[in-house]
Amino acid sequence: MTSDPGTGVLPVKELVGLALRRNPKRAHLLVSRVLAKHVPTEPGVVTSAGRLLGLLVQRELQLPAETGSLTAVIDEAADRLGRLLDPAAPTNTGAVPDGDERSHRMSAVTALGNLLAGQQVESPDVVTIGYAETATALGQLVAGQLGTYYIHSTRQGSCGVEPYGAFEEAHSHATSHQLLPTSRAALNQAGTVVLVDDELSTGATIINTIRELHGTAPHRHYIVASLVDLRTPADRDRLGELARELGTRVSAVALAQGSIELPENLAADAAKLIGTLPLPPKTAPGPDQVQVLDLNGVVPPIRSARFGIADRPDPEQAARIADHLSAALSSSPGAGRRVLVLATEEFMALPLAVATRLQELRPQADIRYSTSTRSPIAALDEPGYAIRSAIAFDSAGDSADGPGPRFAYNFTHPEGRFDTVLLMAEPGAAVAGLLGPGKIAEAVAGAADDVRLVLVPAQPPFPTPLLGPAFGSYGTDDVQWLVKDLSSAQLEAPKEEREAAIQSGKVSYAESLPQEFEPSPEYSALFQSALQSTAVRIAHAVGTLTEQVLKLRGNAPVLVSLARAGTPVGILMRRWAWEVHGLELPHYAISIVRGLGIDQTALGYLASRHRPEDIMFVDGWTGKGAIARELAAAVDLFRRTDGPAFRPDLAVLADPGHCVRIFGTRDDYLVPSACLNSTVSGLVSRTVFNKALIGPGDFHGAKFYSELSGSDVSNDFLAAVTARFAEVRDDVTQAAAHAPSDILALPEADWSGWAAVEDISRSYGINNVNLVKPGVGETTRVLLRRVPWKVLVRPEAVPELAHVLHLAEQRGVEVLEVPGLAYSCVGLIHPVHTPGATGADGKAVADV
């Protein structure tokens, strides 16, 4: 192997050695000295090599360094890393005192790490992709240096996530890769894609990947980052040809660049030699050699980077695990002098961080890090040969290509043995797949005196839906809430403070919550009166609506209610389908926020479990149709960014605004669930999107007001309406028999309500439709939640508006009778009189 003069920052020979594969596709293997895939290595050295590679990418991106010259930092870091890799060179700039060599080496490793960490940047327009299985940790180190979204390819199962793309690594022992992002938008919208692998030999895998990615969503720049680049000039030309063909830019960086010359008869000679070597043994443990350290329930669940991660890993996550491991080592006399943290296949990045922290906690110990692998390599216990020893065992994980043999290297020969091996299994791995004859724990136990099998919990690719009665007062089967529980967060504020904050224009109304109170006895009586007078009417509308939805979705709809007004309607529809047809429909509640749209994580969750064409969105009623427009824009955005195409169909109980085609009625009357906020909505708050509480990959949030349970009438409302199903069943089903099954044959949405709102806005000098809240439901919300200005009522509707008139009287709001009003009533907000009135973007509307 030779290095190309003037390219790379380190000699090739310092970074890799050679070994023979048990693989007919390629006889040789480059064994990295800084990757720790096959050679137990100091974790600080592995980390520094990855960060240095990230620094080369940073320079290629022409991102500014935080301090000093980037090139000068790269040169200094490469020089320090080179000295750490050269055992004959001093490990620091001064003399090493006798007896203190290890301490000074650790100081040198720490200083290099600090130098590189000080150059970290944020790159929001860049995504980083690491290749499985070898470069999963390397890619995450590069992503961490650059501050980018990160995902690695995988050969494991999809866990219900729709694959984004797949590509082949022809020379590999296991050739097929796939990408499983829970947010396809993160990949689609990036301007630059960084592809990270341990080595570049021909560039064929890179070309396959770029073609696949560019065919899905073109990017302006692809940067290929590797530890070692051994491509020929012809191979490099092929990458340039690809860039010209696709009309993009492709560049490459590497710690070392050079070439390798192999004998023509290498494959034949290697096959002969390998034929004389024994296969790696499946060793048997001695008594009590394997102890299980189960951290499930002790440390937080771990998200796999194969589903994508938007932030740098939380150092506290690795620190918690390292603390437990260090305590376990301290409890065993004689254990922990020489320790190997052995990761498993693709699960590399977190174990590396754990090993790094463990070395900090136990500075007198010699901590090394390595991983198991799929690659079959010939082991030969000869000085200078890269693979001195090997063990073999059966796979344990969820592999898309099925079970097969796995291997670990270089710690069973006499010079490589460790006192303790800490075996870190893939998060969520079952013990049965790790312990027992032929499994990894048993194989490792034959190579060390003390083996600890470390079990950590797995975080699913999407958050887990919340269910009642643990969250909300609805039953477990009624609805699955696709929200994050924020019950312990302080989000409420007095109305004046909240509206002043919104009026500032710096926050959205969805970042906080209005205060919720127990309804007064008088108002509760109004609710009960309204429920008694409208229960049959509502039951009829529920039946009509459900029958339409069943026809439109082939009797197999997935109900997705817009929390929270749509949720009791979705539950009633689910009950009608069961009582009348014996159909058990899935029902979810999802957040939609004006100005932000639908929760994109929740849409991804739905797309991973159901056919998008089966989804039917459900809401309580329409006012002027703002939510219908918001829904259409949100599902279109999701289609463009993430692929799955949801239909923007919205089914509502009441459509007085003529904004949708799927409705139970277009009469404008009181739906009692509009009256009492959380106490008629499962004791759940309006949904919240506050970046201080909602991280990447989280659902939007909501609160469960369990303290209001004494006033909860949520299930009373459902029971009262459900009890009237039998009374309206025949009338509804007879009418439904003649109803069309094509949505285009249903009554049109003429948006006449929107036109009426525009006219009201002009007539009353408001000149902003966002301050006009039409319909009984929206007027009720204005009176409950805001500081209203006026209420307009249609004279003939007054007998049905007792609760609106009662609220207006309580609030001192002027009520005006308007003959010919398109709605039963309309609530008006004026920014001059109501600080903090919000517009379509959820922020303050300027005074008029």
Side-chain angles (χ1 to χ4, degrees), residues 474-522:
Y474 291 134
T476 301
D477 295 332
D478 284 332
V479 61
Q480 298 182 62
W481 295 93
L482 302 187
V483 297
K484 181 178 182 179
D485 188 356
L486 300 180
S487 299
S488 61
Q490 181 56 51
L491 291 164
E492 297 82 4
K495 185 174 307 215
E496 292 76 12
E497 292 181 19
R498 181 170 179 265
E499 294 200 346
I502 297 172
Q503 186 184 28
S504 71
K506 297 178 181 178
V507 299
S508 164
Y509 79 100
E511 294 182 38
S512 61
L513 290 171
Q515 290 178 305
E516 297 231 6
F517 302 98
E518 293 192 18
S520 68
E522 185 178 12

Side-chain angles (χ1 to χ4, degrees), residues 5-320:
T7 58
V9 294
L10 287 167
V12 173
K13 290 183 178 180
E14 284 192 8
L15 293 179
V16 296
L18 280 173
L20 299 176
R21 294 173 179 258
R22 295 181 182 271
N23 182 353
K25 297 177 183 177
R26 182 186 289 178
H28 72 283
L29 176 73
L30 297 179
V31 179
S32 175
R33 297 178 58 200
V34 296
L35 189 67
K37 190 63 181 175
H38 310 105
V39 180
T41 308
E42 293 164 280
V45 169
V46 179
T47 301
S48 293
R51 287 179 172 174
L52 178 56
L53 182 59
L55 213 57
L56 295 181
V57 176
Q58 186 178 331
R59 183 169 62 180
E60 183 68 17
L61 287 166
Q62 298 181 334
L63 299 174
E66 291 182 3
T67 58
S69 166
L70 196 56
T71 297
V73 173
I74 289 172
D75 292 342
E76 181 181 351
D79 179 67
R80 292 188 184 190
L81 181 58
R83 282 183 281 149
L84 288 169
L85 294 173
D86 182 0
T91 58
N92 62 349
T93 56
V96 180
D98 292 340
D100 207 23
E101 182 177 348
R102 173 159 183 76
S103 174
H104 278 261
R105 181 170 179 82
M106 287 184 59
S107 295
V109 171
T110 300
L112 174 57
N114 292 338
L115 172 67
L116 293 164
Q119 302 300 317
Q120 291 180 339
V121 293
E122 299 296 328
S123 309
D125 191 40
V126 180
V127 300
T128 302
I129 300 174
Y131 284 92
E133 64 181 23
T134 307
T136 59
L138 179 64
Q140 193 157 339
L141 289 167
V142 171
Q145 187 70 31
L146 299 172
T148 76
Y149 172 92
Y150 176 65
I151 188 171
H152 67 70
S153 67
T154 183
R155 299 183 180 105
Q156 296 187 16
S158 67
C159 295
V161 179
E162 183 71 20
Y164 179 89
F167 43 88
E168 296 295 310
E169 186 178 11
H171 66 268
S172 175
H173 181 70
T175 60
S176 297
H177 294 248
Q178 58 182 349
L179 293 173
L180 301 172
T182 53
S183 172
R184 300 167 72 94
L187 292 175
N188 287 344
Q189 296 177 343
T192 298
V193 176
V194 180
L195 300 168
V196 182
D197 209 351
D198 61 318
E199 64 168 277
L200 273 180
S201 51
T202 66
T205 304
I206 295 295
I207 290 174
N208 292 339
T209 306
I210 292 176
R211 284 193 185 281
E212 180 75 17
L213 293 175
H214 209 74
T216 302
H219 305 277
R220 65 173 179 268
H221 191 186
Y222 298 87
I223 300 176
V224 184
S226 61
L227 295 174
V228 177
D229 183 353
L230 298 179
R231 291 174 298 155
T232 65
D235 292 331
R236 298 185 189 206
D237 289 344
R238 277 192 285 273
L239 210 56
E241 291 168 3
L242 177 69
R244 289 187 290 274
E245 173 192 333
L246 299 179
T248 188
R249 181 184 173 201
V250 182
S251 55
V253 298
L255 294 189
Q257 295 182 3
S259 60
I260 182 171
E261 294 184 9
L262 299 170
E264 292 183 5
N265 58 348
L266 175 64
D269 290 346
K272 290 179 183 179
L273 175 60
I274 291 172
T276 67
L277 300 176
L279 293 173
K282 294 186 177 181
T283 55
D288 302 323
Q289 277 185 275
V290 179
Q291 300 180 54
V292 177
L293 180 58
D294 190 349
L295 298 183
N296 285 281
V298 178
V299 299
I302 294 160
R303 179 178 175 82
S304 172
R306 76 179 189 269
F307 302 120
I309 51 176
D311 293 325
R312 292 185 176 96
D314 181 3
E316 288 301 313
Q317 191 177 53
R320 289 190 193 99

Side-chain angles (χ1 to χ4, degrees), residues 184 204 236 252 271 331 364 382 395 406 504 527 576 807 842:
R184 300 167 72 94
R236 298 185 189 206
S331 66
Q364 302 307 313
E382 294 287 344
S395 62
R406 302 293 187 263
S504 71
F527 165 79
W576 177 278
L807 276 177

